């Protein structure tokens, strides 16, 4: 898988904010605080989020996490 394919498989701030029903600035703050992991992909510092990590974050919020952790 190339870098471009990996980046295209990741979610933007706007997409994740819509999934979590929060304002994009809230998501950015959570990222800055370490509550949710963001990956910086450009010189400008654009944030991207892994789909699997967002799914796990949602599961934890809903209390349905099965103890699974990605290594």
């Amino acid at each position: 898988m190339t870098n471009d394919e990996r980046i295209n498989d990741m979610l933007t701030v706007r997409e994740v904010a819509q999934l979590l029903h929060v304002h994009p600035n809230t998501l950015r703050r959570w990222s800055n605080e370490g509550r949710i992991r963001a990956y910086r992909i450009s010189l400008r510092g654009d944030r991207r989020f892994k789909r699997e990590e967002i799914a796990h974050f949602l599961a934890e919020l809903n209390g349905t996490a099965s103890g699974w952790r990605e290594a």
Side-chain angles (χ1 to χ4, degrees):
M1 183 179 284
T2 66
N3 282 343
D4 288 339
E5 289 173 328
R6 277 184 239 146
I7 290 170
N8 288 336
D9 191 42
M10 297 178 87
L11 301 170
T12 65
V13 169
R14 178 177 286 167
E15 292 168 333
V16 175
Q18 288 174 345
L19 283 171
L20 300 178
H21 301 286
V22 298
H23 193 276
N25 288 343
T26 300
L27 183 60
R28 289 182 187 99
R29 187 180 73 242
W30 288 353
S31 171
N32 291 342
E33 293 171 350
R35 293 179 67 184
I36 192 166
R37 184 169 183 187
Y39 299 85
R40 301 299 182 120
I41 63 162
S42 66
L43 293 175
R44 192 170 69 178
D46 294 340
R47 298 172 206 238
R48 294 293 184 270
F49 302 85
K50 288 185 178 180
R51 291 179 190 273
E52 310 84 49
E53 292 177 5
I54 298 306
H56 188 259
F57 182 81
L58 274 171
E60 284 183 346
L61 283 179
N62 292 325
T64 59
S66 61
W68 172 81
R69 294 273 182 206
E70 184 172 319

